[in-house]
Amino acid sequence: MIAFAAVSVCVMVACGSKDGSKEKADAEQVAEETSEVTEEASENEENGEEADARAEDEIVAMINDIFDDSDIEYTTNDQGYMEANIDLIMDFGSIRLCDLVEQVRMIDANKDETEHFIADWNWMLNCFDQGGVEDIEVDVDGDTAKAKYWVSNSGMRELYELALVKEDGQWRVDDVLTMGGQKGSKAEEMTKYIEENQ
């Protein structure tokens, strides 16, 4: 009986040793997998930060390009709308924004009172004698972003805010949310205008 008990203890000890090795191996594997996940998350975070930084640089460059083009002469064509404003928006606007501008443009071209176009004004600049763009701030969220900046005009600083979207690898203006310090969506304004004039 004593011999049987001794054998049983030996078997239990042996089993315990085996189970302990397995637990240790499992713990090491879990630690290794956790480390890999942590490294991957850290790498993804770094890549995300780098992508956001690149997007911010691209948006700042785009806004500066808009202002570089601000000395275009504004001329009224034979349909009665101002081509330079439309061209500037078409160069930097999203598909949605350009479509809205085109619809407004067609409505206004058929009107007798051609001096009241809501698509004529250059919303991104909002002035002809502006002194430049300053203090551009960009907040990127995936393929959308918002940009705030100040325009100096005749000694005054006016706040602007743009909604942007990435289309075909390029950042485009999708809406103007604040113009000259006054909040209000240009896309919503144009949508309402189109609905009222259909």
Side-chain angles (χ1 to χ4, degrees):
M1 186 74 171
I2 295 172
F4 177 75
V7 170
S8 297
V9 169
C10 288
V11 170
M12 287 173 65
V13 169
C15 289
S17 174
K18 185 176 179 183
D19 287 343
S21 298
K22 185 177 183 306
E23 287 173 5
K24 183 178 178 184
D26 288 346
E28 288 175 355
Q29 184 176 355
V30 168
E32 186 179 338
E33 288 173 357
T34 302
S35 176
E36 287 174 1
V37 169
T38 303
E39 286 176 13
E40 186 178 347
S42 177
E43 186 177 332
N44 288 340
E45 186 177 343
E46 286 177 12
N47 290 339
E49 289 173 359
E50 288 175 10
D52 286 352
R54 280 195 305 272
E56 289 174 16
D57 290 343
E58 290 169 5
I59 291 168
V60 168
M62 184 196 69
I63 293 172
N64 283 319
D65 284 346
I66 290 170
F67 277 81
D68 287 342
D69 289 342
S70 65
D71 59 351
I72 297 172
E73 290 184 13
Y74 290 79
T75 57
T76 304
N77 69 10
D78 55 358
Q79 275 88 31
Y81 59 85
M82 298 176 75
E83 289 184 322
N85 282 335
I86 297 297
D87 290 344
L88 192 56
I89 293 166
M90 293 298 178
D91 285 344
F92 296 99
S94 66
I95 294 169
R96 178 183 81 121
L97 186 64
C98 290
D99 180 60
L100 289 171
V101 168
E102 184 65 23
Q103 290 183 64
V104 169
R105 178 172 95 169
M106 296 306 293
I107 290 169
D108 288 341
N110 293 325
K111 284 189 168 188
D112 293 332
E113 296 182 5
T114 57
E115 69 273 14
H116 298 296
F117 300 166
I118 66 167
D120 277 351
W121 202 238
N122 191 328
W123 318 310
M124 293 171 278
L125 306 177
N126 201 27
C127 47
F128 295 102
D129 59 343
Q130 51 79 29
V133 61
E134 302 172 343
D135 302 329
I136 302 171
E137 297 177 10
V138 179
D139 182 17
V140 178
D141 184 11
D143 285 342
T144 63
K146 287 185 180 176
K148 291 182 180 179
Y149 57 88
W150 293 84
V151 171
S152 295
N153 182 37
S154 302
M156 297 178 62
R157 293 181 86 232
E158 297 178 333
L159 178 64
Y160 289 77
E161 183 179 6
L162 306 178
L164 303 112
V165 64
K166 197 167 191 178
E167 294 178 342
D168 297 326
Q170 297 290 324
W171 286 99
R172 301 291 181 192
V173 177
D174 196 48
D175 200 359
V176 178
L177 305 174
T178 304
M179 184 172 69
Q182 297 182 347
K183 292 187 177 292
S185 164
K186 266 308 208 180
E188 288 180 10
E189 180 186 348
M190 288 193 292
T191 300
K192 182 178 178 183
Y193 182 79
I194 291 165
E195 290 171 353
E196 290 173 349
N197 288 276
Q198 283 179 336

